[in-house]
C-alpha cells in the first residue's frame, strides 16, 4: 500500500549482487509501479466487452472474415437470417 493507503500494483525483479571477486554480497531489488497500466488494461477489456455485446445484439447482420475472405464470426442477426448458429 502507498502512504495514502491506496493499493499499488508492482512488478518486482531481483538479482544477486556480487563483489569484484564474484563473492555474493547481497541482492538488488527493483520494483516498478504498474497500477495505472493495470487499470488501463481493465478499462480496455471493459470497452471490448461492451463493443462485442453491441455487435452481437445489433439489429443488423454483422460478420467478420479472415485474410482468406472466409467468414469466421457473425452476430445473432446473421444466425437468425441464415440458420447458422453463433459459436
Amino acid at each position: 500500500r502507498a502512504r495514502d493507503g491506496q493499493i499499488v500494483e508492482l512488478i518486482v525483479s531481483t538479482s544477486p549482487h556480487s563483489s569484484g571477486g564474484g563473492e555474493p554480497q547481497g541482492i538488488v531489488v527493483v520494483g516498478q509501479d504498474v497500477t495505472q497500466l493495470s487499470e488501463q488494461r481493465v478499462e480496455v477489456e471493459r470497452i471490448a466487452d461492451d463493443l462485442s455485446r453491441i455487435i452481437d445484439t445489433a439489429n443488423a447482420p454483422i460478420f467478420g472474415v479472415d485474410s482468406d475472405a472466409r467468414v469466421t464470426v457473425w452476430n445473432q442477426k446473421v444466425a437468425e437470417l441464415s440458420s447458422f448458429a453463433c459459436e
Side-chain angles (χ1 to χ4, degrees), residues 15-79:
S15 67
H17 176 67
S18 303
S19 67
E23 293 294 317
Q25 286 192 321
I27 190 167
V28 176
V29 179
V30 177
Q32 181 177 4
D33 182 350
V34 294
T35 306
Q36 186 177 21
L37 181 62
S38 183
E39 291 168 353
Q40 290 171 344
R41 181 188 46 78
V42 168
E43 179 68 5
V44 166
E45 288 174 358
R46 186 193 65 74
I47 291 169
D49 288 344
D50 287 349
L51 291 174
S52 291
R53 195 170 20 266
I54 289 168
I55 290 169
D56 195 44
T57 60
N59 198 26
I62 301 172
F63 58 91
V65 297
D66 64 13
S67 59
D68 294 321
R70 292 180 295 212
V71 175
T72 58
V73 65
W74 53 90
N75 69 351
Q76 292 176 16
K77 192 62 170 181
V78 172

